[in-house]
Amino acid sequence: MADSIWLWVGFNAAVLVMLALDLGVFHRKAHAVSMREAAGWTAVWVSLAMVFNAGIWYFAGPQPALEFLTGYLVEKSLAVDNIFVIALIFSYFSVPAMYQHRVLFWGILGALVMRGAFIAAGSYVLHQWHWVIYVFGGILLVTGIKMALRKDEAIDPEHNPVVRLARRWLPLTHRYDGQKFWSVENGRRVATPLFLVLLLVEFTDLVFAIDSIPAIFAITDDPFLVYTSNVMAILGLRSMYFLLAGVVHKFVYLKFGLSLVLVFVGGKMMLVDFVKVPTLVSLGVIATVIGGSIALSLLRPPKEGVPPPPLGQDAPDPEADDDARPTAA
């Protein structure tokens, strides 16, 4: 499928149209996204992905469709961990709820460009040097083990290298100016805290892409399927964030499920020349592990301690006194 230039052009054109409608029509006016709206948009994006998957099945056959679906599920699963980090960033900088969608929109637009470049580079490297697949597999194995052993710690954006560089090289203000990323203060152009948050969201996605893209290459080596499954999953990340940000902390066993998935796909890559794992088996394993970890989290939560309050929900009113807001610069 990767050989047809028209497939690439048509898919990217459709994505651009959907993004233009999203920001220019449906979310033209900044507002806080309700749970109902988030659920509706999540259903829309998932439905579009399934319609696209049906199209792959019809025109290319069941095997490519199965590979797309498996890659889509892997990316969606790993995105849940991404949602938790984004919620912490929004909470730390007290981003008003009505401006969070704008940050996610431009963050995801940048993520699509970065991931497209990553996928193109990864596909080229794998086709030129087959042994690199063992490197990818090793990265996933190490990442999966580290994720399982990782302790839940508070994230301090102030120690992030992106924030440090921004503070050093960019003129920043601590005041939000509506939904603007740039403002004018004392006669000079300055970056608002919203721009700093956007940089952190982009950096967060870059880190997660290092895991998710090699994981999808473990499912299929078709660049078009890797790219489209990645993009379709990313497009629904905004609505999924607003749907899950308040409850994602309850999925206490999800990180173990994600770590098992990474170890599984990493092992699959390491053994690719010795053991052929059918895509249907991969889909079954991934769906069972992720679904099981979420179900276990909801049915048998840890007894000790009290779950933290939902993140990203207590942002101050944008009309409130500026002095009451946490300083972002």
Side-chain angles (χ1 to χ4, degrees), residues 18-266:
M18 288 188 291
L19 289 174
L21 288 173
D22 187 350
L23 187 64
V25 178
F26 298 110
H27 293 94
R28 186 175 183 178
K29 184 178 179 180
H31 65 280
V33 179
S34 66
M35 186 73 73
R36 181 177 180 180
E37 182 183 356
W41 275 106
T42 298
V44 168
W45 291 117
V46 172
S47 298
L48 286 174
M50 294 304 98
V51 169
F52 183 77
N53 194 34
I56 294 177
W57 184 296
Y58 182 80
F59 290 104
Q63 183 60 29
L66 195 59
E67 292 174 357
F68 171 88
L69 181 61
T70 306
Y72 177 79
L73 180 60
V74 169
E75 181 59 42
K76 275 292 187 185
S77 302
L78 292 173
V80 176
D81 208 22
N82 201 355
I83 286 174
F84 179 75
V85 176
I86 292 174
L88 288 174
I89 294 173
F90 282 166
S91 179
Y92 182 88
F93 286 99
S94 299
V95 179
M98 64 172 57
Y99 304 143
Q100 292 177 6
H101 181 275
R102 178 174 172 82
V103 173
L104 292 177
F105 176 89
W106 290 107
I108 288 172
L109 189 62
L112 294 178
V113 176
M114 286 192 301
R115 287 172 180 250
F118 270 31
I119 291 169
S123 178
Y124 175 81
V125 168
L126 286 174
H127 280 85
Q128 293 295 318
W129 302 284
H130 176 71
W131 57 266
V132 175
I133 197 170
Y134 299 115
V135 177
F136 283 2
I139 291 174
L140 293 177
L141 283 172
V142 172
T143 303
I145 294 172
K146 288 175 64 177
M147 181 179 291
L149 299 177
R150 183 186 66 196
K151 295 182 179 180
D152 294 328
E153 299 175 351
I155 296 177
D156 184 4
E158 295 300 330
H159 292 91
N160 188 284
V162 172
V163 173
R164 290 183 174 181
L165 287 174
R167 293 199 187 286
R168 182 175 181 180
W169 297 105
L170 291 178
L172 297 170
T173 177
H174 71 279
R175 297 177 182 272
Y176 285 95
D177 186 7
Q179 61 178 352
K180 295 179 181 178
F181 292 122
W182 293 86
S183 182
V184 176
E185 190 174 82
N186 298 325
R188 67 169 186 164
R189 192 171 178 81
V190 293
T192 68
L194 213 60
F195 182 76
L196 196 58
V197 171
L198 176 62
L199 289 180
L200 275 174
V201 170
E202 294 283 16
F203 178 78
T204 298
D205 182 78
L206 178 64
V207 172
F208 278 93
I210 296 175
D211 299 333
S212 63
I213 290 177
I216 299 180
F217 271 115
I219 307 301
T220 176
D221 59 357
D222 188 318
F224 184 75
L225 295 177
V226 174
Y227 177 71
T228 53
S229 61
N230 216 276
V231 169
M232 294 304 289
I234 288 294
L235 286 175
L237 180 60
R238 289 158 298 164
S239 56
M240 196 166 75
Y241 166 80
F242 292 109
L243 185 64
L244 298 180
V247 298
V248 70
H249 66 276
K250 295 182 179 180
F251 301 153
V252 291
Y253 300 117
L254 180 61
K255 76 170 185 176
F256 298 107
L258 293 176
S259 67
L260 285 176
V261 168
L262 291 177
V263 169
F264 171 73
V265 295

